[in-house]
Amino acid sequence: MAVLLLAALSVVTMSSPARAAATPLEVTGFGSNPGNLRMFRYAPPGLADGRPVVVAMHGCTQNAATYAANTGWLRLADTYEFSVVFPQQQTANNMNSCFNWFEAGDTRRDSGEALSIKQMVDRAKRDNGSTSAYVSGLSAGGGMTSAMLAAYPDVFSGGGIIAGLPYGCANSVSSAFTCMSPGVSKSPKEWGDKVRAAFSSYSGPRPKVSIWYGTTDSTVKPMNGTELMEQFTNANGTDQAPDTTDTVGGYPHRVYGGTVETYQITGMGHGQPVDPGTGPAQCGTAAAYILDVNICSAYHLVRFWGIGGSASPTPTPTGTSTPTPTSTIPPYSDTVIGTATDHYVAQRITVAEYNKLGAAHGYNTPFPLHRCEAGMGR
């Protein structure tokens, strides 16, 4: 049964040439490492002190190098000025190199693999004076991302769960099968209680969580996307009614209370979405279980988290808050063509205007925006 589970979660490595200018390097001596993991890190040349740390976790049978090369994280780190930690599982821990997302001893706070990953973050923060960290992962790495968000809400400001599982869904190999397919249904409160119990004394802010799933995923059923949304909206103190419903890249996108979002990738199977190319919103290289579906999940995670350097991305609109002004207003002419979302993220309109104009013109239908229509007087 263990072999079947590991095979079901397998993400087969596919060769892809790594960019010479961006290669993760192994870091040793990062802590007691009770989970017996390896740490790889990429820091852009000349990275300033204090920039964020992003943790990116591979799926089964992958390793740090191939996951880094194919998912787009290396180029995004260069563009938006952050370092990336790539934890790597070892076959001594798991025969298919899966993170043990279903083992209680590896997902509890200050225990096993979870503590090893936290120690990697601590080391990266010390080395670069960082004060913020984010975590993401694919499949088994997505399941471990759920665990890290639950166990360490004081460490991570945001997370990205891609084809992953709710925290506390399984505590054995057999129950993991059920979680993966057909999935386990619980109430939002039941799921949220599992997150709160992971660090019961914690009363601070919860991380923002971005959830991605394919509608034809036969390995980790799409139901898990719904259960994840219910878990983290409840844990974050918001309801399960989206404040914003739109499309991004042609795919349904929903935002809940400004702290949880979901991407429903229509027709996608089991894997991480990428959009190969050199455009500002493009990244990644298609490979087995790294799927070219014309949207780059890593790029949109950076946007949702709101991290970046001199080329800082703007946050995904939530419909409930006003975007933080930047030092300069993006230039635009008296008449600008774009969707309601385009105008919002460019800071041409407020949230109220976003909702009003979106309802009138269609949120994702291009239309001309005039200065007088926006009422901003710019």
Side-chain angles (χ1 to χ4, degrees):
M1 186 171 287
V3 173
L4 289 173
L5 172 68
L6 300 175
L9 275 179
S10 290
V11 178
V12 180
T13 301
M14 194 173 205
S15 296
S16 178
R19 298 184 307 135
T23 303
L25 300 177
E26 184 161 13
V27 178
T28 59
F30 55 85
S32 60
N33 191 18
N36 190 34
L37 303 178
R38 296 175 69 185
M39 174 183 177
F40 291 81
R41 179 179 60 191
Y42 174 70
L47 182 67
D49 288 348
R51 298 302 303 148
V53 177
V54 171
V55 176
M57 288 186 279
H58 63 75
C60 301
T61 76
Q62 287 183 318
N63 58 34
T66 56
Y67 190 69
N70 291 324
T71 52
W73 280 115
L74 300 180
R75 183 159 69 89
L76 288 167
D78 288 337
T79 301
Y80 296 112
E81 302 171 6
F82 56 82
S83 62
V84 193
V85 169
F86 297 95
Q88 182 168 299
Q89 182 60 282
Q90 302 202 76
T91 55
N93 304 329
N94 185 297
M95 62 184 296
N96 275 1
S97 299
C98 308
F99 292 103
N100 288 311
W101 62 273
F102 50 89
E103 294 286 356
D106 284 310
T107 57
R108 285 196 300 263
R109 184 178 174 89
D110 298 335
S111 176
E113 293 176 14
L115 179 54
S116 290
I117 295 165
K118 192 262 186 182
Q119 290 175 343
M120 295 179 195
V121 174
D122 290 342
R123 169 65 188 269
K125 284 183 172 181
R126 288 195 304 270
D127 288 351
N128 203 54
S130 301
T131 58
S132 62
Y134 304 82
V135 59
S136 69
L138 165 64
S139 192
M144 187 58 74
T145 296
S146 297
M148 299 305 295
L149 294 172
Y152 294 103
D154 54 334
V155 172
F156 297 104
S157 299
I161 303 168
I162 304 169
L165 293 305
Y167 173 70
C169 185
N171 57 13
S172 67
V173 171
S174 59
S175 61
F177 269 119
T178 303
C179 290
M180 292 161 55
S181 178
V184 173
S185 177
K186 294 183 182 294
S187 71
K189 183 180 183 303
E190 287 175 314
W191 283 126
D193 284 346
K194 288 181 177 292
V195 171
R196 287 182 285 271
F199 187 9
S200 59
S201 63
Y202 182 72
S203 60
R206 293 279 173 180
K208 300 178 71 173
V209 185
S210 183
I211 299 161
W212 295 69
Y213 61 97
T215 61
T216 60
D217 190 336
S218 59
T219 301
V220 177
K221 291 288 189 177
M223 175 182 176
N224 285 286
T226 300
E227 302 304 309
L228 279 163
M229 177 275 291
E230 292 180 350
Q231 180 168 64
F232 285 102
T233 51
N234 183 268
N236 286 12
T238 189
D239 60 25
Q240 289 71 54
D243 300 290
T244 298
T245 299
D246 56 9
T247 61
V248 177
Y251 299 110
H253 169 244
R254 299 173 179 86
V255 183
Y256 305 79
T259 66
V260 176
E261 68 171 0
T262 62
Y263 281 88
Q264 178 183 318
I265 309 302
T266 310
M268 188 183 78
H270 189 64
Q272 178 153 339
V274 296
D275 184 15
T278 58
Q282 292 181 295
C283 66
T285 302
Y289 296 93
I290 306 293
L291 307 178
D292 180 1
V293 291
N294 299 315
I295 185 170
C296 179
S297 53
Y299 168 78
H300 287 281
L301 290 179
V302 170
R303 286 169 55 91
F304 186 60
W305 296 335
I307 64 175
S310 59
S312 178
T314 50
T316 301
T318 67
T320 59
S321 61
T322 303
T324 303
T326 56
S327 58
T328 59
I329 301 299
Y332 66 99
S333 61
D334 286 342
T335 301
V336 183
I337 302 295
T339 66
T341 300
D342 293 334
H343 296 312
Y344 178 92
V345 299
Q347 301 181 42
R348 302 179 190 120
I349 57 177
T350 65
V351 169
E353 291 161 340
Y354 169 78
N355 290 328
K356 180 179 178 181
L357 293 172
H361 297 279
Y363 286 94
N364 293 282
T365 301
F367 61 90
L369 178 74
H370 304 274
R371 289 176 189 261
C372 58
E373 182 179 17
M376 300 299 288
R378 294 176 184 168

